[in-house]
Amino acid sequence: MSTIETPIETGTINTVITNGKSEARDETLKTHISFATKQYNKFDFIKGNRGISEAHVKALVEKIKSGENYLVFSPIMVDEQLRVLDGQHRLLAAIKANVHIWYNVVTGKVNLDTIARINESQRRWTPVNFVSMYATLGNIHYKAFEQFYRGYKLSVSTALLLFENQTMATLRSGKLLATDVLGAEKIADALIDVQKYVKFAKYNRFTDAFMRVFRHPEYDHKRMMLKLKQRKDTIKKLTSVNDYIRLLEGIYNYSMPSKNTVRFF
């Protein structure tokens, strides 16, 4: 990936950069062209790029109107078809403020993954942005994951736990796999039941603990729900996954004969 360069003499650039002090020369200096325009309709947005934050656009417009028009020092980045790679919010702010938008043209092959890396170095992409991007690109695993976490109103990090403990790094890299969606849905359904008595059931540590308990071969969900109802007043937030497992084990075995007790560790 490269930017369009212009063959301006090094000596000329040195004179400009050093305010005319020719004794301070830098023979390694390079430059590239930045353009400015108010013909906003020449630009296009790329499907799959992260969503627009109206609050962020509004904040940029206020800065511009207050005299802090930093756009000249922070050009947006576009490809050779003038599709916006980085700077959606700056472009929209320029339109609203009716000022020139400055832009650099990137040559060569560019895709949404490139855009993600560019944006992440500027204003960090969230996990939701990555899921949306890969789903828009047609990745069936991310489509299934997006439908899952949105449908169950889970955070991305909690949903990853239910998707076989996959990591955030895996999600960001495009390597997420939806290998057992039905299994994840089964645990999520049980978690919703538990939420009747445990308001923080979807918090990561509790979800992690419950998932381990749920997968125990001797676990009985009806018994757990009955015991949670009986012991709901003893439920409180704890600091670790193991603490929650102990809590759930105590509740599950409440008033049960020793022959029927189950150890989840």
Side-chain angles (χ1 to χ4, degrees):
M1 185 172 67
S2 61
T3 53
I4 296 175
E5 294 189 354
T6 181
I8 299 176
E9 291 185 19
T10 302
T12 302
I13 292 297
N14 272 293
T15 301
V16 173
I17 296 297
T18 60
N19 197 24
K21 297 179 181 179
S22 58
E23 70 274 14
R25 301 178 64 84
D26 183 353
E27 302 297 337
T28 68
L29 281 176
K30 289 187 176 182
T31 186
H32 66 268
I33 297 174
S34 290
F35 304 92
T37 184
K38 292 180 79 173
Q39 294 181 10
Y40 312 119
N41 59 359
K42 67 166 56 177
F43 301 103
D44 285 323
F45 294 108
I46 297 178
K47 183 180 179 181
N49 205 342
R50 62 181 172 179
I52 298 298
S53 167
E54 293 297 335
H56 186 45
V57 173
K58 182 179 179 181
L60 293 179
V61 171
E62 290 175 354
K63 281 187 176 182
I64 293 169
K65 289 186 175 180
S66 69
E68 296 181 36
N69 187 358
Y70 72 99
L71 296 179
V72 65
F73 303 112
S74 185
I76 67 173
M77 196 177 298
V78 300
D79 66 10
E80 293 170 296
Q81 287 75 49
L82 299 185
R83 299 179 302 170
V84 180
L85 306 176
D86 175 48
Q88 297 179 113
H89 293 86
R90 276 168 281 163
L91 174 58
L92 292 173
I95 294 171
K96 288 181 178 292
N98 193 30
V99 297
H100 279 78
I101 184 65
W102 288 79
Y103 63 98
N104 292 335
V105 180
V106 177
T107 60
K109 185 178 180 180
V110 178
N111 55 35
L112 276 173
D113 189 59
T114 307
I115 297 172
R117 305 302 163 221
I118 293 170
N119 277 277
E120 192 172 28
S121 69
Q122 302 294 326
R123 184 169 172 259
R124 191 170 180 82
W125 271 39
T126 67
V128 170
N129 295 144
F130 279 96
V131 173
S132 177
M133 178 189 74
Y134 287 119
T136 300
L137 286 171
N139 188 307
I140 59 174
H141 299 281
Y142 284 81
K143 286 183 176 181
F145 182 77
E146 185 174 47
Q147 184 177 4
F148 172 73
Y149 89 80
R150 289 188 183 277
Y152 283 99
K153 298 181 180 179
L154 300 170
S155 68
V156 170
S157 58
T158 298
L160 282 173
L161 287 173
L162 302 184
F163 262 53
E164 302 296 323
N165 272 317
Q166 294 186 72
T167 67
M168 201 64 74
T170 298
L171 181 143
R172 290 176 180 274
S173 66
K175 297 177 181 178
L176 179 76
L177 296 175
T179 56
D180 187 14
V181 177
L182 291 178
E185 289 177 343
K186 188 175 180 180
I187 300 175
D189 286 336
L191 200 61
I192 290 174
D193 290 340
V194 170
Q195 197 174 22
K196 297 173 185 176
Y197 306 108
V198 184
K199 300 304 180 184
F200 49 87
K202 293 180 181 179
Y203 288 14
N204 281 16
R205 289 188 181 91
F206 184 88
T207 297
D208 194 352
F210 178 74
M211 180 176 63
R212 299 185 197 192
V213 169
F214 185 86
R215 287 174 173 167
H216 192 282
E218 296 183 61
Y219 177 81
D220 182 322
H221 190 58
K222 288 184 178 180
R223 172 173 159 179
M224 177 61 86
M225 292 305 297
L226 175 62
K227 296 301 180 181
L228 283 171
K229 183 178 181 179
Q230 293 173 348
R231 301 292 289 166
K232 60 180 181 294
D233 293 335
T234 68
I235 298 170
K236 59 183 179 180
K237 287 185 180 180
L238 300 171
T239 57
S240 72
V241 173
N242 283 342
D243 286 340
Y244 280 124
I245 294 176
R246 291 189 186 93
L247 174 67
L248 290 170
E249 182 181 280
I251 291 172
Y252 191 79
N253 292 323
Y254 175 69
S255 292
M256 297 297 292
S258 59
K259 66 177 181 179
N260 292 331
T261 58
V262 179
R263 299 302 172 198
F264 294 127
F265 279 96

